[in-house]
Amino acid sequence: MSTTGQQIFTTLAADGTLTVELADATFPAPTGNQVLVKMEAAPINPSDLALLFGPADLENADFSPGKVVAKMPEPFNTGSKGRHGQRMPVGNEGAGTVIATGDSDMAKALMGQRVACVPGNAFSQYCLADAPMCLPLGDLSSEDGASGFVNPMTALGFVENAKMDGQKAIVHSAAASNLGQMLNRICQEDGIALVNIVRSEAQVDLLKGQGAEYVVNSAEDDFMAQLRTAIDTTDAYYGFDPIGGGQMVDYCFKAMEQVAVGKMTEFSRYGSNQAKKMHIYGRLDLGPTILTPSYGFGFTLTGWLLFPFLQGAGMETMGRMRQRVLAGLTTTFASKYKRKVGLAEMLTKEAALEYRAMKTGEKYLVTPHA
Amino acid sequence: MSTTGQQIFTTLAADGTLTVELADATFPAPTGNQVLVKMEAAPINPSDLALLFGPADLENADFSPGKVVAKMPEPFNTGSKGRHGQRMPVGNEGAGTVIATGDSDMAKALMGQRVACVPGNAFSQYCLADAPMCLPLGDLSSEDGASGFVNPMTALGFVENAKMDGQKAIVHSAAASNLGQMLNRICQEDGIALVNIVRSEAQVDLLKGQGAEYVVNSAEDDFMAQLRTAIDTTDAYYGFDPIGGGQMVDYCFKAMEQVAVGKMTEFSRYGSNQAKKMHIYGRLDLGPTILTPSYGFGFTLTGWLLFPFLQGAGMETMGRMRQRVLAGLTTTFASKYKRKVGLAEMLTKEAALEYRAMKTGEKYLVTPHA
């Protein structure tokens, strides 16, 4: 027996016309390890926005009830050739109640439970999810559990990855984000020194109010000096950056190298021997990444994504991480939302412009049955 | 008993005045594992030029016998703060005859032999070198052995590194260089597929004449299509780039990703799962490295230097590599020079402008006693 409900779809035509619409969808009965979840809450994460709207021109888009038609600018339209003509579901994660299950014992055990899940079509009234990826929420609400995967596992993944690489300190940019605040709490729990880079005095206060020891403000004239001091104190030659474009990664490498060179007794044309590593895990800035030749050859820049990291880390590490997240969903791993919206309201101009701006403290939660 | 001879020194003053001069220097008697080498030949490599002149303005420099005074432009002068006021020797490698040794057995065994060495002051009539780093040349001439370390060990290092990383194919840019031609010969011997990127038809002919199978010309309109085809055929998702600045690394990542995406059955906003890795090992272009956001998160860019690689690889690997180089010094690892110059002639305007341009086929060999 199949179930019908409303779901959001995004379609990019070859001519650059982006259509995002709310439409009826049919969900087949779950089989095997699948469960059918009646979705109650789903956060709008930056990684969802990349697919939902990307850099489409929302200011001049055509908004009608349950539908947005916008223009995708170049070079992004050509760069998205792979999705041209495909009607795609959106929404990495969310939470809801299991209302039907497949035949497997693991699936059947979840019947009737509230779970967090990672279905890939979370902006929907119903989702088919894999039982092994569902996190039973027990007494917690769907709102508490909705952001239980992407941000918590990413922030925790940074710390796990740092430990695997023998690091005791981390640099993090755009550090006042929901994810950044989580990382700040994890690092305090685990005794990892965290250099938080933010861009306003208010964000400095926010993080210091949450116990952060090292917060540097990129809007200040002495930003580089602040950053060098923090790196010198913490030995943080290892960092994560969600901005991607522009020079934030470059500034981090530069400051790391300047600290390392300051400790050298002899000049080397090749720079210091200090290994410096930065990970780009997001693209808040879609411009090119600029790396100036000012830190020798001891640098590594690499992309970082949650799922490849988890695959590499293995099931045991992932299980341990998920248990820690579950235990801390309302504390260490808690998310805050500015506003809740239904599926139709999510496609209004007022809402879309606000949550697409991805400003600190302005995350939205979608409640598909509200 | 100390020895006196002429040596080249380079000094950058804080105000950006660069002085490169030939001067008398005193070499103390070798001790322990040291040997004193009477230098007969030393190549001018790009890595030497970075220290010797860097991006100083040679066109408008003041040339007098045995002396060059030039201006170092910004931001390079400030970026070279670490060497301000230091009178530095130059010349990574060369070859000559051991005329005195320290007390160790290893040093004494080299007495009277012709050796290739890596003294760091090879643009000199005499050098103190470490015996363990000397390569006895046997019947080979100093000219044959002068370039026996930097280029051969670097080219061989790329192949060793690729094998350690499980790769069967390599992309190499600026591939018509002395080092590139060497790499082409090594890859043919070892059955590693090599995608050579060059920038002229003459360079395509040069490498194809040396048996290269994949040569793509970045000056052609269909460069990216050529590159994609070569990557598709060879599965080369791993490369080395001596240019550094500009977009060559970006073009390689883009072509690799486009090939990988072409093989995917489903669109992913995160790009392909194909790991792509590029190494920057030189700075022929001193501009910033530009990375466009067009290949997802599965990329790694890292600096590559010979000495850190050899340290990581260990003594056994290094010993094996050196034996292979020695056996192939006049074949696989042979270098060609456009011209030989004495130490004074090296500092004439005509010579300096030509070898500083680092054009293919215009490498110079310094003969310090000629």
Side-chain angles (χ1 to χ4, degrees):
Chain A
M1 199 196 70
S2 64
T3 305
T4 303
Q6 289 197 299
Q7 178 173 334
I8 288 193
F9 293 94
T10 178
T11 312
L12 180 64
D15 70 355
T17 304
L18 177 80
T19 305
V20 181
E21 60 189 326
L22 185 59
D24 281 338
T26 301
F27 305 90
T31 60
N33 252 339
Q34 289 181 324
V35 297
L36 183 68
V37 183
K38 184 179 178 191
M39 296 298 287
E40 290 152 3
I44 306 180
N45 289 320
S47 52
D48 299 317
L49 285 166
L51 183 63
L52 185 70
F53 292 129
D57 178 11
L58 290 189
E59 279 292 349
N60 300 301
D62 182 17
F63 286 84
S64 56
K67 191 171 184 177
V68 186
V69 180
K71 207 69 194 162
M72 184 69 78
E74 289 299 349
F76 305 105
N77 182 46
T78 301
S80 304
K81 213 159 53 179
R83 60 173 287 195
H84 281 168
Q86 292 186 56
R87 193 163 175 258
M88 308 190 78
V90 208
N92 268 315
E93 66 178 344
T97 303
V98 174
I99 58 170
T101 77
D103 290 337
S104 84
D105 290 342
M106 196 187 268
K108 283 196 277 189
L110 293 174
M111 185 65 197
Q113 294 205 48
R114 208 158 33 241
V115 297
C117 58
V118 197
N121 65 328
F123 302 153
S124 175
Q125 293 187 312
Y126 299 93
C127 294
L128 282 174
D130 286 330
M133 290 293 284
C134 287
L135 194 62
L137 291 172
D139 290 340
L140 297 174
S141 70
S142 283
E143 187 173 332
D144 286 333
S147 292
F149 194 85
V150 177
N151 275 356
M153 294 294 274
T154 300
L156 201 46
F158 293 171
V159 176
E160 290 284 336
N161 214 154
K163 289 176 183 171
M164 286 175 196
D165 288 344
Q167 304 292 321
K168 295 196 167 78
I170 293 173
V171 175
H172 187 223
S173 63
S177 65
N178 237 313
L179 189 152
Q181 295 177 42
M182 239 173 241
L183 183 61
N184 179 40
R185 293 189 288 267
I186 298 167
C187 285
Q188 288 177 49
E189 289 174 18
D190 288 14
I192 298 285
L194 180 65
V195 177
N196 298 278
I197 301 175
V198 299
R199 56 180 180 180
S200 73
E201 205 46 42
Q203 293 176 337
V204 173
D205 295 343
L206 175 78
L207 285 174
K208 291 215 163 166
Q210 297 179 12
E213 197 163 348
Y214 310 99
V215 190
V216 303
N217 183 350
S218 63
E220 306 247 319
D221 287 342
D222 66 343
F223 164 55
M224 284 301 285
Q226 288 184 26
L227 186 55
R228 280 192 299 266
T229 302
I231 289 168
D232 198 8
T233 311
T234 57
D235 279 332
Y237 296 99
Y238 189 91
F240 293 87
D241 168 76
I243 304 169
Q247 280 192 262
M248 184 54 78
V249 162
D250 190 58
Y251 296 146
C252 293
F253 279 141
K254 253 187 215 170
M256 291 170 180
E257 176 70 3
Q258 287 165 351
V259 171
V261 163
K263 295 176 180 175
M264 289 169 73
T265 50
E266 219 177 284
F267 172 75
S268 163
R269 80 200 88 168
Y270 302 116
S272 75
N273 284 323
Q274 174 64 54
K276 298 163 287 289
K277 187 166 189 178
M278 292 293 298
H279 308 73
I280 289 181
Y281 72 93
R283 282 280 171 195
L284 294 176
D285 180 337
L286 288 166
T289 310
I290 309 290
L291 303 177
T292 60
S294 48
Y295 26 87
F297 292 84
F299 70 91
T300 299
L301 172 63
T302 188
W304 196 96
L305 280 180
L306 179 56
F307 285 93
F309 167 75
L310 291 176
Q311 271 173 357
M315 285 304 286
E316 198 182 309
T317 299
M318 180 166 155
R320 179 170 50 74
M321 289 168 66
R322 299 207 73 181
Q323 285 312 309
R324 183 169 170 184
V325 171
L326 183 60
L329 260 185
T330 59
T331 53
T332 307
F333 300 101
S335 285
K336 278 192 184 140
Y337 308 97
K338 176 174 182 180
R339 198 174 147 194
K340 292 183 212 175
V341 286
L343 288 169
E345 201 182 351
M346 184 182 161
L347 299 189
T348 60
K349 185 169 188 176
E350 185 214 347
L353 283 179
E354 187 168 77
Y355 65 72
R356 210 269 293 264
M358 297 184 275
K359 287 194 184 145
T360 305
E362 302 201 345
K363 191 186 268 279
Y364 273 47
L365 186 71
V366 181
T367 51
H369 288 278
Chain B
M1 200 194 73
S2 65
T3 305
T4 303
Q6 289 197 300
Q7 178 173 335
I8 287 192
F9 293 93
T10 177
T11 312
L12 180 64
D15 71 354
T17 305
L18 177 80
T19 305
V20 181
E21 59 189 328
L22 185 58
D24 281 336
T26 302
F27 305 88
T31 60
N33 251 340
Q34 290 180 323
V35 298
L36 183 68
V37 183
K38 183 179 180 190
M39 296 299 286
E40 290 152 0
I44 306 179
N45 288 319
S47 52
D48 299 316
L49 285 166
L51 183 63
L52 185 69
F53 292 128
D57 178 11
L58 290 190
E59 279 290 351
N60 300 300
D62 182 18
F63 286 84
S64 55
K67 190 170 184 177
V68 186
V69 180
K71 208 70 196 163
M72 184 69 78
E74 289 298 349
F76 305 104
N77 182 46
T78 302
S80 304
K81 214 158 52 179
R83 60 172 287 197
H84 281 168
Q86 293 186 55
R87 192 162 176 261
M88 310 190 75
V90 208
N92 270 314
E93 66 178 344
T97 303
V98 174
I99 58 169
T101 76
D103 289 338
S104 84
D105 289 343
M106 195 187 268
K108 284 196 277 189
L110 294 174
M111 185 64 197
Q113 292 205 50
R114 208 156 34 238
V115 296
C117 56
V118 197
N121 65 328
F123 301 153
S124 174
Q125 292 187 311
Y126 299 93
C127 293
L128 281 174
D130 287 331
M133 290 294 282
C134 287
L135 195 63
L137 292 172
D139 291 339
L140 296 175
S141 69
S142 284
E143 187 174 332
D144 286 334
S147 291
F149 195 84
V150 178
N151 275 357
M153 293 295 273
T154 300
L156 202 45
F158 294 171
V159 175
E160 289 285 334
N161 214 154
K163 289 177 184 170
M164 287 174 194
D165 288 343
Q167 304 293 320
K168 295 197 167 77
I170 294 173
V171 176
H172 187 224
S173 64
S177 66
N178 235 312
L179 190 152
Q181 295 177 43
M182 239 174 241
L183 183 61
N184 178 42
R185 293 189 289 266
I186 298 166
C187 286
Q188 288 178 49
E189 289 175 16
D190 289 14
I192 298 285
L194 179 66
V195 177
N196 298 278
I197 301 175
V198 298
R199 55 178 182 181
S200 73
E201 205 47 43
Q203 292 176 337
V204 173
D205 294 343
L206 175 78
L207 285 175
K208 291 216 163 166
Q210 298 178 11
E213 197 163 349
Y214 310 98
V215 190
V216 304
N217 183 352
S218 63
E220 306 249 317
D221 287 343
D222 66 343
F223 164 54
M224 285 301 285
Q226 288 185 25
L227 186 55
R228 281 194 298 267
T229 302
I231 289 168
D232 198 8
T233 311
T234 57
D235 279 331
Y237 296 99
Y238 189 91
F240 293 88
D241 169 74
I243 304 169
Q247 280 193 261
M248 184 52 78
V249 161
D250 189 58
Y251 295 146
C252 292
F253 278 140
K254 252 187 214 170
M256 290 170 181
E257 177 70 3
Q258 287 165 351
V259 171
V261 163
K263 295 176 178 173
M264 290 169 73
T265 50
E266 218 176 284
F267 172 75
S268 164
R269 79 200 87 168
Y270 302 115
S272 76
N273 285 323
Q274 174 64 54
K276 297 164 286 292
K277 188 167 189 178
M278 291 293 297
H279 308 74
I280 289 181
Y281 71 93
R283 281 281 172 196
L284 294 176
D285 181 338
L286 288 167
T289 310
I290 309 291
L291 303 176
T292 60
S294 47
Y295 25 87
F297 292 84
F299 71 91
T300 298
L301 173 62
T302 189
W304 197 96
L305 280 181
L306 179 56
F307 286 94
F309 167 75
L310 290 176
Q311 270 173 358
M315 285 304 286
E316 198 183 308
T317 300
M318 180 166 155
R320 179 170 49 73
M321 289 168 67
R322 298 206 73 181
Q323 285 313 308
R324 182 169 170 186
V325 171
L326 183 60
L329 260 185
T330 58
T331 52
T332 307
F333 300 101
S335 284
K336 279 192 184 141
Y337 307 98
K338 177 174 181 180
R339 197 173 147 195
K340 292 183 213 175
V341 284
L343 288 169
E345 201 182 351
M346 184 182 161
L347 298 189
T348 60
K349 185 168 188 176
E350 184 213 348
L353 283 180
E354 186 168 79
Y355 64 71
R356 210 269 293 265
M358 297 185 275
K359 286 195 185 143
T360 305
E362 303 201 344
K363 191 186 267 280
Y364 273 50
L365 185 71
V366 181
T367 50
H369 287 278

